[in-house]
Amino acid sequence: PAERGVHEMTLTANFPVPDEAIHRDLVSIVGEGGVSARRLDRLAYARDLWPGSILWMRGGKVPYLPSFIVWPEETEAVSQILTYANAHHLPVVPFGAGSGVCGGTLPLHGGIILDLKRMNRIVAIDRNSMTVTAQCGIMGECFEEDLNVAGFTLGHFPSSIYCSTLGGWLAARSAGQLSTKYGKIEDMVIALEAVLADGTVIETRKTPRSATGPDWKHLLVGSEGTLGVITTATMRLHPLPQARIFQAYRFPDVPTALEAIRATVQYGVLPAVVRLYDEVDTALTMTALGAEDLSGNLLILVFEGGREIVALEHELTARFCAERPCEDLGAGPARHWWEHRYDISYRQSEILSNEGMVLDTIEVATVWSNLVNLYDTVRKALSPIVTTLAHFSHIYPEGASIYFSVIGHAEETTDEAYYRKIWETAMAACLEAGGTISHHHGIGYSKAPWMAQEHGTLMGVYRRVKDALDPNGILNPGKMGL
Amino acid sequence: PAERGVHEMTLTANFPVPDEAIHRDLVSIVGEGGVSARRLDRLAYARDLWPGSILWMRGGKVPYLPSFIVWPEETEAVSQILTYANAHHLPVVPFGAGSGVCGGTLPLHGGIILDLKRMNRIVAIDRNSMTVTAQCGIMGECFEEDLNVAGFTLGHFPSSIYCSTLGGWLAARSAGQLSTKYGKIEDMVIALEAVLADGTVIETRKTPRSATGPDWKHLLVGSEGTLGVITTATMRLHPLPQARIFQAYRFPDVPTALEAIRATVQYGVLPAVVRLYDEVDTALTMTALGAEDLSGNLLILVFEGGREIVALEHELTARFCAERPCEDLGAGPARHWWEHRYDISYRQSEILSNEGMVLDTIEVATVWSNLVNLYDTVRKALSPIVTTLAHFSHIYPEGASIYFSVIGHAEETTDEAYYRKIWETAMAACLEAGGTISHHHGIGYSKAPWMAQEHGTLMGVYRRVKDALDPNGILNPGKMGL
């Protein structure tokens, strides 16, 4: 097929004319410049980075469109928009920067896209307490750069950092490349401000801890816009690292390497970066990143922080590795990975622009005693239908995540049917092996069908809480298996 | 007044005759040995370690009594009891070992005390993943001893460890004496099983992390029995420490000592124990623990874990202390504290048995930039009415808790009025200074009046979630300001 332009693609989309009265009302809240009902804007917000929605685009399909995009600049405006939408039963999809890979921002029922990117101010840096309070629409890389200037780091480096926001990280439960040391987004958040479906503004106290009931932050973190709109967050900061040490090893097999990693973290050493690539991922990814040819199972380690601490961490990790068969590759491959650590994610759309190509990532997790089983089970299930590579990149004392990349070409079936088969196979294998179906990409639209199996009776709790906080179901409807 | 025996005390209690039909129904679930309606049992469960309820006892008053105590042995029995209670709108108070100090288990509306202490089995130790799964009624010290035999520690050492349970720790958001290294109870829990008010059993997945919606564990942790009954938990384990180093310093004032502590933890060093006693607490507590006379502001440090790690932690902490005016007291006072670390809590009832004496502890928290302000504000407010001492014993990169002990004698008023005045003064001062009203003792009955000020609009979320999960309000009614 010839190249498709916007015009041709929109032919298959149903563009209902947005209601003029609603448009006027939204303008009265955020002003003319704060609302759009233009076709081009509506089309731009019709998808995120979910490969399934890219396949739709590739096929010229735009199944879901919002009626309005609204850009509030203050919490008060978010509250007014939600109060209004709730009164009129209008769907509202909170939106950060659209880097989600599970269709979490698809406007399945039309309505309003609530784009928070203009809420991008750093409200305060508390140098003494080492915390920062910021509006949630701030873009990741800008946020980190501003913090660096002040002498701090957030320690959160998702590969989406150039196209994701603080609020998106929190709502979609982000985990960064340095999570083993700095923790995941839920470990970093000290306090939240959010707006409920009915416009009520809630705020948790800025305190290191409080024994005054459930920790309500955790109701919103990971809720993917279904329970409230996160507007401001107070996050823990760290001093900029004094020192950084790079180290790589080659292991003969995955289980041996995992044992070295497990021994290290269970001894109490948490390197900033721990990435173990299996043989296929070592060959493909490192080549894609422009490294010299590498074989075997590559372990990349980066230590950062106080000078004496990272020196000891490096020494102890080296000891646990040396107790097992492995080859010391020096700093080179780890340093190379570091320099190219954001490159790979941005290749996805390029590859997916080729007719018939299917590419996705499937990140699951389990405890150590089940990790090799989960790895083997998912790989075995997928290998007959798609090329599967994997790395282990978020490490915990009690387990780890497995990040599968799948890449294939639809041969005897449609792209979408092939794509669906890959996911059905992977999710069934993961659940059978006792893994959780997502470690950090979330659920959104694409994984919603497996939420019942993931959670069992817990889904009843989610539904009851959803009904209690959003009785009209306006917040991100159709997501999360609710 | 002469000594009071049980008989005399019960005179002021209203002992309604328990309903025989209900008794029969409960027996049909847990057997004859699993239910009691005996007066002595009902009296024993009429209070916990809240000093206010001890004052009641001292005055011969027993304002609240349960009708039944029930001892289930399995989750299935808990489910049946709750299903039954929910159908009959009977209040149910989940009960661990009764060491709470906020009246959290007072049977304000009578009904059933659900004592979980017979659910005390360790279900499984996963050596590879370093986790333990146990029924929640297991007593703290027994649990730790069993884990030690297996080569592990939980790392959780609340001063109540001899009279508190795993489930109580989770429900009431416990923090142990080694929390700065090992974290608080919410940091240690990997998975939970619980029973909702309608008898539904819910279970979170045993996984190091999951991005599949809100983390429902955190709805139950700290909910103090108002949202569900925690029945089984999977907890993170640590290897038994290879080494332990004791160290004490004397500082000229509290702010200087706090700066040394702040510099240490913000550099990335987390000692297992960090306890800074102000001058009054140094004098009184250490004397009570039988140490030689000590003056000044005592800082007690204990490092434990891997040998090389604790050596470095000790060295770095010493460096941060030495940068400020302080005196190195060697290991002695810290070792002495360690050997007597559980003694002090058990003196409380003894002191409170004296007519007119009032004694309590008030633990609050805030971020570093507000810590000295909170300390000064609360002390200044309390000093005209009661002797006030304080220590700082749970340290975070972003702040710390302050543990005030108050001890006084009701002179011109009744014990209860005096006691109430102390709390009203402390809570008002804490909230005015921006602190949270509880760091780890919880809310229960005694602090419920301040929940609205603590949480503002967040209380609406708590109420809506409560109504959604427990529409008949059977779970621990009258608590938490709901």
Side-chain angles (χ1 to χ4, degrees), chain A residues 126 128 186 201 209-212 236 262 267 308 319 369 398 436 438 455 457, chain B residues 126 128 173 186 201 209-212 236 262 267 308 319 369 398 436 438 455 457:
Chain A
D126 179 344
N128 219 319
E186 67 268 28
V201 179
R209 192 199 197 218
S210 175
T212 57
R236 178 182 296 164
R262 185 172 75 86
Y267 192 76
E308 317 81 350
R319 190 191 304 168
S369 59
E398 60 276 3
T436 181
S438 177
H455 286 300
T457 52
Chain B
D126 179 344
N128 219 319
R173 199 182 282 284
E186 67 269 27
V201 179
R209 192 199 197 218
S210 175
T212 58
R236 178 182 295 164
R262 185 172 75 86
Y267 192 76
E308 316 81 350
R319 190 191 305 169
S369 59
E398 60 276 2
T436 181
S438 177
H455 286 300
T457 52

mmCIF file of all heavy atoms in Angstrom, chain A residues 126 128 186 201 209-212 236 262 267 308 319 369 398 436 438 455 457, chain B residues 126 128 173 186 201 209-212 236 262 267 308 319 369 398 436 438 455 457:
data_model
loop_
_atom_site.group_PDB
_atom_site.id
_atom_site.type_symbol
_atom_site.label_atom_id
_atom_site.label_comp_id
_atom_site.label_asym_id
_atom_site.label_seq_id
_atom_site.Cartn_x
_atom_site.Cartn_y
_atom_site.Cartn_z
ATOM 1 N N ASP A 126 12.507 21.104 48.850
ATOM 2 C CA ASP A 126 12.839 21.187 50.273
ATOM 3 C C ASP A 126 14.218 20.543 50.428
ATOM 4 O O ASP A 126 14.346 19.324 50.516
ATOM 5 C CB ASP A 126 11.758 20.437 51.072
ATOM 6 C CG ASP A 126 12.023 20.442 52.574
ATOM 7 O OD1 ASP A 126 13.164 20.748 52.995
ATOM 8 O OD2 ASP A 126 11.082 20.119 53.326
ATOM 9 N N ASN A 128 16.406 20.526 52.760
ATOM 10 C CA ASN A 128 16.658 19.899 54.039
ATOM 11 C C ASN A 128 16.068 18.494 54.096
ATOM 12 O O ASN A 128 16.734 17.529 54.478
ATOM 13 C CB ASN A 128 15.992 20.776 55.102
ATOM 14 C CG ASN A 128 16.811 20.896 56.340
ATOM 15 O OD1 ASN A 128 17.389 19.914 56.789
ATOM 16 N ND2 ASN A 128 16.881 22.084 56.892
ATOM 17 N N GLU A 186 6.443 4.001 43.360
ATOM 18 C CA GLU A 186 5.670 3.960 44.609
ATOM 19 C C GLU A 186 6.561 4.060 45.844
ATOM 20 O O GLU A 186 6.084 4.399 46.924
ATOM 21 C CB GLU A 186 4.803 2.691 44.674
ATOM 22 C CG GLU A 186 5.564 1.376 44.779
ATOM 23 C CD GLU A 186 5.853 0.758 43.424
ATOM 24 O OE1 GLU A 186 5.960 1.521 42.437
ATOM 25 O OE2 GLU A 186 5.980 -0.478 43.348
ATOM 26 N N VAL A 201 -10.978 17.631 45.854
ATOM 27 C CA VAL A 201 -9.518 17.602 45.890
ATOM 28 C C VAL A 201 -9.083 16.908 47.182
ATOM 29 O O VAL A 201 -9.529 17.283 48.271
ATOM 30 C CB VAL A 201 -8.930 19.027 45.833
ATOM 31 C CG1 VAL A 201 -7.399 18.978 45.902
ATOM 32 C CG2 VAL A 201 -9.392 19.743 44.564
ATOM 33 N N ARG A 209 6.092 9.101 57.253
ATOM 34 C CA ARG A 209 5.219 7.962 57.529
ATOM 35 C C ARG A 209 4.080 8.434 58.410
ATOM 36 O O ARG A 209 4.227 9.417 59.140
ATOM 37 C CB ARG A 209 5.977 6.863 58.273
ATOM 38 C CG ARG A 209 5.182 5.567 58.320
ATOM 39 C CD ARG A 209 5.643 4.632 59.395
ATOM 40 N NE ARG A 209 5.138 3.289 59.146
ATOM 41 C CZ ARG A 209 4.724 2.469 60.101
ATOM 42 N NH1 ARG A 209 4.778 2.827 61.366
ATOM 43 N NH2 ARG A 209 4.267 1.272 59.812
ATOM 44 N N SER A 210 2.968 7.709 58.381
ATOM 45 C CA SER A 210 1.844 8.044 59.223
ATOM 46 C C SER A 210 1.052 6.781 59.510
ATOM 47 O O SER A 210 0.749 6.014 58.599
ATOM 48 C CB SER A 210 0.953 9.067 58.508
ATOM 49 O OG SER A 210 -0.211 9.330 59.254
ATOM 50 N N ALA A 211 0.746 6.551 60.796
ATOM 51 C CA ALA A 211 -0.069 5.385 61.170
ATOM 52 C C ALA A 211 -1.478 5.871 61.486
ATOM 53 O O ALA A 211 -1.961 5.773 62.607
ATOM 54 C CB ALA A 211 0.554 4.656 62.352
ATOM 55 N N THR A 212 -2.120 6.433 60.475
ATOM 56 C CA THR A 212 -3.443 7.028 60.675
ATOM 57 C C THR A 212 -4.424 6.461 59.657
ATOM 58 O O THR A 212 -5.161 7.193 59.010
ATOM 59 C CB THR A 212 -3.368 8.564 60.532
ATOM 60 O OG1 THR A 212 -2.833 8.870 59.229
ATOM 61 C CG2 THR A 212 -2.467 9.187 61.579
ATOM 62 N N ARG A 236 10.733 11.880 46.891
ATOM 63 C CA ARG A 236 12.027 11.817 47.572
ATOM 64 C C ARG A 236 13.158 12.123 46.582
ATOM 65 O O ARG A 236 13.142 11.657 45.450
ATOM 66 C CB ARG A 236 12.227 10.417 48.138
ATOM 67 C CG ARG A 236 13.563 10.210 48.817
ATOM 68 C CD ARG A 236 13.716 8.780 49.306
ATOM 69 N NE ARG A 236 12.729 8.488 50.340
ATOM 70 C CZ ARG A 236 12.415 7.261 50.742
ATOM 71 N NH1 ARG A 236 12.983 6.221 50.189
ATOM 72 N NH2 ARG A 236 11.525 7.074 51.686
ATOM 73 N N ARG A 262 21.054 -13.032 42.757
ATOM 74 C CA ARG A 262 20.280 -13.291 43.972
ATOM 75 C C ARG A 262 21.175 -13.229 45.212
ATOM 76 O O ARG A 262 20.845 -12.590 46.213
ATOM 77 C CB ARG A 262 19.608 -14.672 43.880
ATOM 78 C CG ARG A 262 18.688 -14.988 45.037
ATOM 79 C CD ARG A 262 17.904 -16.268 44.802
ATOM 80 N NE ARG A 262 18.709 -17.469 44.964
ATOM 81 C CZ ARG A 262 18.915 -18.079 46.134
ATOM 82 N NH1 ARG A 262 18.372 -17.603 47.236
ATOM 83 N NH2 ARG A 262 19.651 -19.166 46.193
ATOM 84 N N TYR A 267 22.393 -10.423 50.042
ATOM 85 C CA TYR A 267 23.433 -10.057 51.007
ATOM 86 C C TYR A 267 23.257 -8.609 51.451
ATOM 87 O O TYR A 267 23.859 -8.168 52.422
ATOM 88 C CB TYR A 267 24.820 -10.252 50.376
ATOM 89 C CG TYR A 267 25.957 -10.171 51.364
ATOM 90 C CD1 TYR A 267 26.219 -11.232 52.225
ATOM 91 C CD2 TYR A 267 26.758 -9.035 51.447
ATOM 92 C CE1 TYR A 267 27.254 -11.161 53.140
ATOM 93 C CE2 TYR A 267 27.800 -8.952 52.362
ATOM 94 C CZ TYR A 267 28.039 -10.026 53.207
ATOM 95 O OH TYR A 267 29.065 -9.956 54.122
ATOM 96 N N GLU A 308 32.564 5.641 48.805
ATOM 97 C CA GLU A 308 32.975 4.435 49.534
ATOM 98 C C GLU A 308 31.922 3.339 49.395
ATOM 99 O O GLU A 308 32.233 2.153 49.395
ATOM 100 C CB GLU A 308 33.159 4.741 51.022
ATOM 101 C CG GLU A 308 33.889 6.038 51.338
ATOM 102 C CD GLU A 308 32.984 7.269 51.255
ATOM 103 O OE1 GLU A 308 31.837 7.154 50.772
ATOM 104 O OE2 GLU A 308 33.438 8.351 51.663
ATOM 105 N N ARG A 319 32.665 -10.383 44.014
ATOM 106 C CA ARG A 319 32.928 -11.616 44.756
ATOM 107 C C ARG A 319 31.830 -12.655 44.490
ATOM 108 O O ARG A 319 32.113 -13.823 44.245
ATOM 109 C CB ARG A 319 33.006 -11.293 46.254
ATOM 110 C CG ARG A 319 33.511 -12.443 47.090
ATOM 111 C CD ARG A 319 33.331 -12.182 48.580
ATOM 112 N NE ARG A 319 33.966 -10.931 49.011
ATOM 113 C CZ ARG A 319 33.747 -10.380 50.211
ATOM 114 N NH1 ARG A 319 32.917 -10.955 51.070
ATOM 115 N NH2 ARG A 319 34.345 -9.259 50.546
ATOM 116 N N SER A 369 12.186 -18.281 43.646
ATOM 117 C CA SER A 369 12.006 -19.735 43.577
ATOM 118 C C SER A 369 11.205 -20.150 42.349
ATOM 119 O O SER A 369 11.165 -21.324 42.001
ATOM 120 C CB SER A 369 11.328 -20.248 44.853
ATOM 121 O OG SER A 369 10.075 -19.614 45.024
ATOM 122 N N GLU A 398 13.431 -10.550 46.962
ATOM 123 C CA GLU A 398 12.561 -11.728 46.877
ATOM 124 C C GLU A 398 12.232 -12.174 45.458
ATOM 125 O O GLU A 398 11.519 -13.162 45.278
ATOM 126 C CB GLU A 398 11.262 -11.503 47.666
ATOM 127 C CG GLU A 398 10.419 -10.335 47.203
ATOM 128 C CD GLU A 398 10.872 -9.018 47.812
ATOM 129 O OE1 GLU A 398 11.870 -9.005 48.552
ATOM 130 O OE2 GLU A 398 10.252 -7.988 47.514
ATOM 131 N N THR A 436 3.038 -12.625 37.708
ATOM 132 C CA THR A 436 2.074 -11.538 37.558
ATOM 133 C C THR A 436 2.175 -11.035 36.123
ATOM 134 O O THR A 436 3.273 -10.992 35.548
ATOM 135 C CB THR A 436 2.325 -10.391 38.557
ATOM 136 O OG1 THR A 436 1.321 -9.391 38.352
ATOM 137 C CG2 THR A 436 3.694 -9.733 38.372
ATOM 138 N N SER A 438 1.932 -8.164 34.727
ATOM 139 C CA SER A 438 2.695 -6.955 34.407
ATOM 140 C C SER A 438 3.566 -6.537 35.571
ATOM 141 O O SER A 438 3.109 -6.472 36.712
ATOM 142 C CB SER A 438 1.783 -5.788 34.025
ATOM 143 O OG SER A 438 2.581 -4.626 33.801
ATOM 144 N N HIS A 455 -6.263 -11.482 39.467
ATOM 145 C CA HIS A 455 -6.646 -11.030 40.806
ATOM 146 C C HIS A 455 -7.728 -11.851 41.498
ATOM 147 O O HIS A 455 -7.906 -11.711 42.708
ATOM 148 C CB HIS A 455 -7.112 -9.575 40.746
ATOM 149 C CG HIS A 455 -6.001 -8.591 40.565
ATOM 150 N ND1 HIS A 455 -4.972 -8.480 41.466
ATOM 151 C CD2 HIS A 455 -5.742 -7.685 39.594
ATOM 152 C CE1 HIS A 455 -4.136 -7.532 41.056
ATOM 153 N NE2 HIS A 455 -4.574 -7.041 39.924
ATOM 154 N N THR A 457 -10.813 -12.849 43.413
ATOM 155 C CA THR A 457 -11.816 -12.093 44.173
ATOM 156 C C THR A 457 -11.392 -10.652 44.457
ATOM 157 O O THR A 457 -12.232 -9.819 44.802
ATOM 158 C CB THR A 457 -12.117 -12.777 45.521
ATOM 159 O OG1 THR A 457 -10.879 -13.006 46.203
ATOM 160 C CG2 THR A 457 -12.834 -14.099 45.324
ATOM 161 N N ASP B 126 10.148 -19.947 52.135
ATOM 162 C CA ASP B 126 10.727 -20.078 50.795
ATOM 163 C C ASP B 126 12.168 -19.577 50.905
ATOM 164 O O ASP B 126 12.433 -18.377 50.857
ATOM 165 C CB ASP B 126 9.891 -19.231 49.817
ATOM 166 C CG ASP B 126 10.422 -19.272 48.389
ATOM 167 O OD1 ASP B 126 11.586 -19.690 48.186
ATOM 168 O OD2 ASP B 126 9.669 -18.880 47.480
ATOM 169 N N ASN B 128 14.735 -19.802 49.017
ATOM 170 C CA ASN B 128 15.282 -19.213 47.806
ATOM 171 C C ASN B 128 14.859 -17.754 47.660
ATOM 172 O O ASN B 128 15.676 -16.866 47.415
ATOM 173 C CB ASN B 128 14.738 -20.025 46.630
ATOM 174 C CG ASN B 128 15.765 -20.238 45.562
ATOM 175 O OD1 ASN B 128 16.509 -19.329 45.237
ATOM 176 N ND2 ASN B 128 15.810 -21.432 45.025
ATOM 177 N N ARG B 173 -0.184 -1.180 61.607
ATOM 178 C CA ARG B 173 0.957 -0.482 60.993
ATOM 179 C C ARG B 173 2.125 -0.328 61.961
ATOM 180 O O ARG B 173 2.585 0.769 62.286
ATOM 181 C CB ARG B 173 0.507 0.890 60.486
ATOM 182 C CG ARG B 173 1.439 1.486 59.451
ATOM 183 C CD ARG B 173 0.989 2.850 59.006
ATOM 184 N NE ARG B 173 -0.105 2.803 58.059
ATOM 185 C CZ ARG B 173 0.018 2.478 56.780
ATOM 186 N NH1 ARG B 173 1.191 2.172 56.303
ATOM 187 N NH2 ARG B 173 -1.026 2.453 55.996
ATOM 188 N N GLU B 186 4.895 -2.291 56.562
ATOM 189 C CA GLU B 186 4.376 -2.187 55.194
ATOM 190 C C GLU B 186 5.462 -2.383 54.148
ATOM 191 O O GLU B 186 5.162 -2.692 52.993
ATOM 192 C CB GLU B 186 3.664 -0.838 54.977
ATOM 193 C CG GLU B 186 4.555 0.391 55.029
ATOM 194 C CD GLU B 186 4.648 0.988 56.423
ATOM 195 O OE1 GLU B 186 4.479 0.239 57.407
ATOM 196 O OE2 GLU B 186 4.894 2.212 56.531
ATOM 197 N N VAL B 201 -13.021 -14.151 50.782
ATOM 198 C CA VAL B 201 -11.584 -14.267 51.018
ATOM 199 C C VAL B 201 -10.851 -13.637 49.837
ATOM 200 O O VAL B 201 -11.121 -13.971 48.681
ATOM 201 C CB VAL B 201 -11.159 -15.745 51.167
ATOM 202 C CG1 VAL B 201 -9.648 -15.850 51.385
ATOM 203 C CG2 VAL B 201 -11.915 -16.399 52.318
ATOM 204 N N ARG B 209 6.610 -7.447 42.809
ATOM 205 C CA ARG B 209 5.918 -6.237 42.382
ATOM 206 C C ARG B 209 4.921 -6.607 41.303
ATOM 207 O O ARG B 209 5.103 -7.600 40.604
ATOM 208 C CB ARG B 209 6.910 -5.224 41.805
ATOM 209 C CG ARG B 209 6.272 -3.857 41.615
ATOM 210 C CD ARG B 209 7.017 -2.981 40.656
ATOM 211 N NE ARG B 209 6.607 -1.602 40.809
ATOM 212 C CZ ARG B 209 6.465 -0.758 39.795
ATOM 213 N NH1 ARG B 209 6.718 -1.141 38.567
ATOM 214 N NH2 ARG B 209 6.082 0.477 40.009
ATOM 215 N N SER B 210 3.906 -5.765 41.132
ATOM 216 C CA SER B 210 2.923 -6.000 40.090
ATOM 217 C C SER B 210 2.330 -4.668 39.674
ATOM 218 O O SER B 210 1.941 -3.862 40.518
ATOM 219 C CB SER B 210 1.822 -6.926 40.625
ATOM 220 O OG SER B 210 0.799 -7.079 39.672
ATOM 221 N N ALA B 211 2.288 -4.428 38.359
ATOM 222 C CA ALA B 211 1.672 -3.191 37.853
ATOM 223 C C ALA B 211 0.308 -3.535 37.280
ATOM 224 O O ALA B 211 0.045 -3.392 36.091
ATOM 225 C CB ALA B 211 2.569 -2.534 36.809
ATOM 226 N N THR B 212 -0.561 -4.020 38.147
ATOM 227 C CA THR B 212 -1.879 -4.480 37.708
ATOM 228 C C THR B 212 -2.968 -3.814 38.533
ATOM 229 O O THR B 212 -3.878 -4.472 39.035
ATOM 230 C CB THR B 212 -1.981 -6.018 37.843
ATOM 231 O OG1 THR B 212 -1.730 -6.359 39.218
ATOM 232 C CG2 THR B 212 -0.970 -6.732 36.976
ATOM 233 N N ARG B 236 8.962 -10.580 53.812
ATOM 234 C CA ARG B 236 10.363 -10.649 53.389
ATOM 235 C C ARG B 236 11.252 -11.059 54.564
ATOM 236 O O ARG B 236 11.068 -10.588 55.680
ATOM 237 C CB ARG B 236 10.806 -9.279 52.881
ATOM 238 C CG ARG B 236 12.261 -9.215 52.460
ATOM 239 C CD ARG B 236 12.637 -7.812 52.027
ATOM 240 N NE ARG B 236 11.905 -7.427 50.828
ATOM 241 C CZ ARG B 236 11.785 -6.176 50.398
ATOM 242 N NH1 ARG B 236 12.320 -5.192 51.074
ATOM 243 N NH2 ARG B 236 11.123 -5.907 49.297
ATOM 244 N N ARG B 262 20.760 13.230 60.008
ATOM 245 C CA ARG B 262 20.255 13.556 58.673
ATOM 246 C C ARG B 262 21.350 13.390 57.620
ATOM 247 O O ARG B 262 21.138 12.774 56.566
ATOM 248 C CB ARG B 262 19.716 14.990 58.649
ATOM 249 C CG ARG B 262 19.057 15.385 57.345
ATOM 250 C CD ARG B 262 18.369 16.743 57.444
ATOM 251 N NE ARG B 262 19.303 17.853 57.445
ATOM 252 C CZ ARG B 262 19.791 18.442 56.338
ATOM 253 N NH1 ARG B 262 19.416 18.006 55.151
ATOM 254 N NH2 ARG B 262 20.621 19.447 56.428
ATOM 255 N N TYR B 267 23.154 10.433 53.068
ATOM 256 C CA TYR B 267 24.315 9.959 52.306
ATOM 257 C C TYR B 267 24.076 8.532 51.818
ATOM 258 O O TYR B 267 24.797 8.027 50.971
ATOM 259 C CB TYR B 267 25.573 10.019 53.179
ATOM 260 C CG TYR B 267 26.857 9.819 52.416
ATOM 261 C CD1 TYR B 267 27.381 10.834 51.634
ATOM 262 C CD2 TYR B 267 27.535 8.601 52.468
ATOM 263 C CE1 TYR B 267 28.558 10.656 50.920
ATOM 264 C CE2 TYR B 267 28.715 8.411 51.759
ATOM 265 C CZ TYR B 267 29.220 9.442 50.987
ATOM 266 O OH TYR B 267 30.382 9.262 50.280
ATOM 267 N N GLU B 308 31.285 -6.545 56.011
ATOM 268 C CA GLU B 308 31.942 -5.391 55.376
ATOM 269 C C GLU B 308 30.996 -4.199 55.335
ATOM 270 O O GLU B 308 31.418 -3.045 55.403
ATOM 271 C CB GLU B 308 32.359 -5.731 53.940
ATOM 272 C CG GLU B 308 33.008 -7.095 53.746
ATOM 273 C CD GLU B 308 31.988 -8.226 53.644
ATOM 274 O OE1 GLU B 308 30.790 -7.985 53.914
ATOM 275 O OE2 GLU B 308 32.389 -9.350 53.320
ATOM 276 N N ARG B 319 32.087 9.440 60.886
ATOM 277 C CA ARG B 319 32.602 10.625 60.212
ATOM 278 C C ARG B 319 31.582 11.771 60.280
ATOM 279 O O ARG B 319 31.936 12.909 60.581
ATOM 280 C CB ARG B 319 32.921 10.278 58.758
ATOM 281 C CG ARG B 319 33.690 11.365 58.034
ATOM 282 C CD ARG B 319 33.762 11.114 56.538
ATOM 283 N NE ARG B 319 34.330 9.800 56.223
ATOM 284 C CZ ARG B 319 34.296 9.269 54.995
ATOM 285 N NH1 ARG B 319 33.723 9.921 53.998
ATOM 286 N NH2 ARG B 319 34.809 8.075 54.771
ATOM 287 N N SER B 369 12.766 19.318 57.553
ATOM 288 C CA SER B 369 12.724 20.780 57.604
ATOM 289 C C SER B 369 11.753 21.285 58.666
ATOM 290 O O SER B 369 11.763 22.461 59.009
ATOM 291 C CB SER B 369 12.348 21.351 56.228
ATOM 292 O OG SER B 369 11.091 20.846 55.827
ATOM 293 N N GLU B 398 13.832 11.481 54.448
ATOM 294 C CA GLU B 398 13.080 12.737 54.377
ATOM 295 C C GLU B 398 12.538 13.225 55.720
ATOM 296 O O GLU B 398 11.899 14.283 55.773
ATOM 297 C CB GLU B 398 11.934 12.632 53.362
ATOM 298 C CG GLU B 398 10.910 11.560 53.656
ATOM 299 C CD GLU B 398 11.333 10.192 53.138
ATOM 300 O OE1 GLU B 398 12.447 10.074 52.586
ATOM 301 O OE2 GLU B 398 10.563 9.239 53.301
ATOM 302 N N THR B 436 2.166 14.645 61.645
ATOM 303 C CA THR B 436 1.093 13.657 61.612
ATOM 304 C C THR B 436 0.883 13.158 63.032
ATOM 305 O O THR B 436 1.845 13.017 63.797
ATOM 306 C CB THR B 436 1.409 12.486 60.661
ATOM 307 O OG1 THR B 436 0.293 11.582 60.674
ATOM 308 C CG2 THR B 436 2.643 11.700 61.095
ATOM 309 N N SER B 438 0.106 10.347 64.335
ATOM 310 C CA SER B 438 0.670 9.066 64.781
ATOM 311 C C SER B 438 1.692 8.550 63.790
ATOM 312 O O SER B 438 1.450 8.523 62.583
ATOM 313 C CB SER B 438 -0.408 8.002 64.976
ATOM 314 O OG SER B 438 0.212 6.769 65.340
ATOM 315 N N HIS B 455 -6.707 14.399 58.209
ATOM 316 C CA HIS B 455 -6.887 13.977 56.818
ATOM 317 C C HIS B 455 -7.734 14.898 55.950
ATOM 318 O O HIS B 455 -7.705 14.762 54.725
ATOM 319 C CB HIS B 455 -7.498 12.576 56.774
ATOM 320 C CG HIS B 455 -6.536 11.492 57.145
ATOM 321 N ND1 HIS B 455 -5.379 11.276 56.439
ATOM 322 C CD2 HIS B 455 -6.545 10.576 58.140
ATOM 323 C CE1 HIS B 455 -4.725 10.252 56.989
ATOM 324 N NE2 HIS B 455 -5.404 9.823 58.019
ATOM 325 N N THR B 457 -10.304 16.174 53.500
ATOM 326 C CA THR B 457 -11.219 15.514 52.561
ATOM 327 C C THR B 457 -10.894 14.038 52.347
ATOM 328 O O THR B 457 -11.732 13.289 51.850
ATOM 329 C CB THR B 457 -11.192 16.212 51.188
ATOM 330 O OG1 THR B 457 -9.834 16.316 50.753
ATOM 331 C CG2 THR B 457 -11.805 17.599 51.262
#
